[in-house]
């Protein structure tokens, strides 16, 4: 968990610009600080992050009943559902395939749950047209005790964004 926190802190320090498909301009950035105009790269669940091309939010975790899966570790007994919304404020469509979504639990890669019939997955369901938004549910399997969860959202070659908290 400490390694993840340090990695997130270092990534935050290295970033000068971010998000929503916004390309980094940090070739002259110092690894010991960020520009005062730089937007945050790490948010709490429920916060929105505005970038040049849009707004992204990862909602606060909600409980989710995990489907039976004999392949999943017996230690992962509960689910957390995060509602992810991408709003396009640009004049061009944001391609769904340009986004990636991933999570860690207590510093290790999370097991994500997919169920297309219930709108649960790890991908946007379709491109986001100008002026529109797309929402989907991102579910991860968690241990019985509260855990530190970080959801990573990346768009094309832009610096990734992180939402973190306890679930």
């Amino acid at each position: 968990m400490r390694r993840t926190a340090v990695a997130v802190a270092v990534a935050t320090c290295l970033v000068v610009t971010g998000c929503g498909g916004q390309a980094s301009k940090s070739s002259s950035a110092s690894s010991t600080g960020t520009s005062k105009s730089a937007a945050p790269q790490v948010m709490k669940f429920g916060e929105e992050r505005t970038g040049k091309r849009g707004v992204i939010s990862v909602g606060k975790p909600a409980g989710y009943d995990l489907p039976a899966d004999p392949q999943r570790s017996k230690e992962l007994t509960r689910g957390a559902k995060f509602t992810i919304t991408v709003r396009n404020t640009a004049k061009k469509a944001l391609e769904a395939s340009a986004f990636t979504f991933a999570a860690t639990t207590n510093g290790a890669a999370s097991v994500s749950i997919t169920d297309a019939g219930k709108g649960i997955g790890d991908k946007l369901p379709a491109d986001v047209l100008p002026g529109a938004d797309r929402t989907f549910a991102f579910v991860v399997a968690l241990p019985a005790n509260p855990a530190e969860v970080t959801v990573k959202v990346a768009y094309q070659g832009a610096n990734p964004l992180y939402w973190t908290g306890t679930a």
Side-chain angles (χ1 to χ4, degrees):
M1 182 163 71
R2 183 174 176 93
R3 187 181 307 159
T4 300
V6 170
V8 170
V10 169
T12 301
C13 289
L14 292 174
V15 174
V16 171
T17 63
C19 174
Q22 186 173 333
S24 173
K25 302 176 198 167
S26 63
S27 61
S28 64
S30 162
S31 64
T32 60
T34 59
S35 165
K36 290 187 184 214
S37 65
Q41 296 301 112
V42 180
M43 283 66 59
K44 294 177 185 175
F45 293 124
E47 293 181 342
E48 289 185 339
R49 171 59 164 77
T50 302
K52 286 184 178 179
R53 296 183 183 121
V55 179
I56 299 174
S57 66
V58 176
K60 293 181 181 181
Y64 185 81
D65 291 329
L66 295 175
D69 184 352
Q71 301 291 340
R72 189 174 49 245
S73 169
K74 300 291 183 219
E75 295 174 6
L76 302 176
T77 59
R78 62 190 180 97
K81 178 173 88 169
F82 301 89
T83 300
I84 298 177
T85 302
V86 176
R87 184 177 328 128
N88 185 348
T89 59
K91 294 181 181 180
K92 291 184 179 179
L94 300 174
E95 295 180 21
S97 62
F99 284 91
T100 57
F101 304 91
T104 59
T105 303
N106 293 332
S110 295
V111 174
S112 61
I113 308 299
T114 58
D115 185 342
K118 294 182 179 179
I120 297 169
D122 58 0
K123 300 191 181 317
L124 276 173
D127 293 350
V128 187
L129 300 176
D133 33 305
R134 291 271 182 247
T135 299
F136 73 101
F138 183 71
V139 175
V140 294
L142 300 173
N145 295 325
E148 180 183 327
V149 179
T150 300
V151 175
K152 175 183 173 182
V153 178
Y155 179 75
Q156 288 180 331
N159 294 317
L161 301 173
Y162 302 89
W163 279 262
T164 190
T166 301

